[in-house]
Amino acid sequence: MQVISDRKDIICHGRAGEGGTGTGLLVEQQTLMVSNKTKDLATDLLEKACLRANLNRAYKRVKSNKGSPGIDGMTIDELGDWIRGNKEQLIEDLLSGSYQPQPVRKVEIPKPGKVNEMRTLGIPTVIDRLVQQAIHQVLEPIFDPTFSESSYGFRKGRKAHDAVKQASQYVREGYVWCVDMDLEKFFDRVNHDILMSRLARKIGDKRLLKIIRRFLESGIMQDGVCVRT
């Protein structure tokens, strides 16, 4: 019998029926320990997201990313003053579950290299971007280790150039095919219920799950009307 858990570092081999304990029980115990550890880690994530150090780091990241205002017109340069006057209320709203994201502002930009084709962007308010970044910073250490080694998009310390370098390495090793996969309009079509159920496997903080769900359903402001996404 070969038992392989969902953790790469727990791989055990053995034969069934050897005393009723041994390898199988060991793997079960180890898997349970890993599961409990993950559960413990993921129950107070909202408090971690609201820590002063985490919020300050999120603010610096949002500021460095720059970007246009959302539907409320607040700019990146105005965000710092807003935080100084409203940080405690923001934290209270997040922890109490009363925080409500704003609809995103719809913007269309030309697709690079495409003639007469536009790409639709949704621009959140700078406050929502701050909250999203703060949440991202506590979720990334939990989820990123579970991603494929062949995945390079939107990951810390990885970029498109790294994917090109890896593909070049495969060529040097003698491979002749390189496949670049993408899911067209994935974020337009992803099933929210399935996505939330997957997140709930590792996140035990229901308050945080509720906020993420609200972001998913915040909608798009188009011609003065909020359109459901």
Side-chain angles (χ1 to χ4, degrees):
M1 178 183 68
Q2 182 182 30
V3 181
I4 304 178
S5 79
D6 58 358
R7 281 286 300 268
K8 294 179 180 179
D9 56 338
I10 303 178
I11 300 179
C12 300
H13 301 269
R15 290 192 299 272
E18 293 183 345
T21 56
T23 303
L25 180 60
L26 175 61
V27 173
E28 183 178 352
Q29 291 173 336
Q30 289 175 319
T31 304
L32 182 61
M33 290 173 60
V34 172
S35 175
N36 288 339
K37 182 178 179 181
T38 302
K39 193 72 173 178
D40 293 342
L41 175 68
T43 53
D44 59 347
L45 290 177
L46 197 51
E47 278 78 9
K48 292 180 180 179
C50 292
L51 289 175
R52 180 186 298 270
N54 189 62
L55 288 173
N56 288 341
R57 187 157 65 96
Y59 167 70
K60 292 178 180 178
R61 182 60 184 269
V62 170
K63 187 176 181 180
S64 67
N65 288 341
K66 300 180 181 180
S68 302
I71 64 170
D72 61 356
M74 183 184 295
T75 66
I76 292 292
D77 293 335
E78 295 171 326
L79 179 60
D81 289 337
W82 186 92
I83 292 175
R84 281 186 283 273
N86 298 274
K87 182 171 62 176
E88 298 304 323
Q89 184 62 53
L90 174 63
I91 293 174
E92 181 180 336
D93 290 344
L94 288 169
L95 294 178
S96 67
S98 62
Y99 183 81
Q100 184 64 53
Q102 297 296 305
V104 299
R105 182 168 66 91
K106 181 180 178 180
V107 175
E108 290 189 339
I109 62 173
K111 283 188 176 182
K114 301 287 186 178
V115 179
N116 297 327
E117 287 193 37
M118 305 296 288
R119 170 174 293 166
T120 300
L121 299 179
I123 302 179
T125 67
V126 291
I127 299 171
D128 283 342
R129 297 203 305 257
L130 172 72
V131 174
Q132 290 173 359
Q133 180 62 35
I135 292 174
H136 168 78
Q137 288 168 181
V138 297
L139 294 186
E140 184 180 56
I142 298 173
F143 286 95
D144 191 78
T146 69
F147 296 160
S148 168
E149 284 300 315
S150 299
S151 174
Y152 290 89
F154 305 101
R155 297 182 65 185
K156 185 177 181 180
R158 291 180 172 229
K159 51 190 177 182
H161 290 94
D162 296 322
V164 174
K165 290 179 181 178
Q166 183 61 64
S168 300
Q169 177 61 36
Y170 289 147
V171 171
R172 289 192 293 269
E173 293 174 0
Y175 293 94
V176 295
W177 287 95
C178 178
V179 180
D180 175 20
M181 292 188 295
D182 195 7
L183 297 176
E184 184 181 4
K185 296 184 178 180
F186 169 78
F187 292 106
D188 295 335
R189 300 170 178 170
V190 62
N191 184 295
H192 291 172
D193 291 333
I194 295 176
L195 176 60
M196 293 306 303
S197 68
R198 293 296 181 92
L199 290 175
R201 293 179 183 179
K202 291 184 177 293
I203 300 176
D205 193 328
K206 294 183 179 180
R207 301 164 303 165
L208 182 57
L209 291 172
K210 182 184 292 186
I211 292 176
I212 294 174
R213 182 92 191 203
R214 286 177 179 172
F215 273 117
L216 291 173
E217 299 176 345
S218 61
I220 295 177
M221 187 65 72
Q222 181 178 350
D223 299 325
V225 178
C226 182
V227 180
R228 183 180 180 183
T229 52

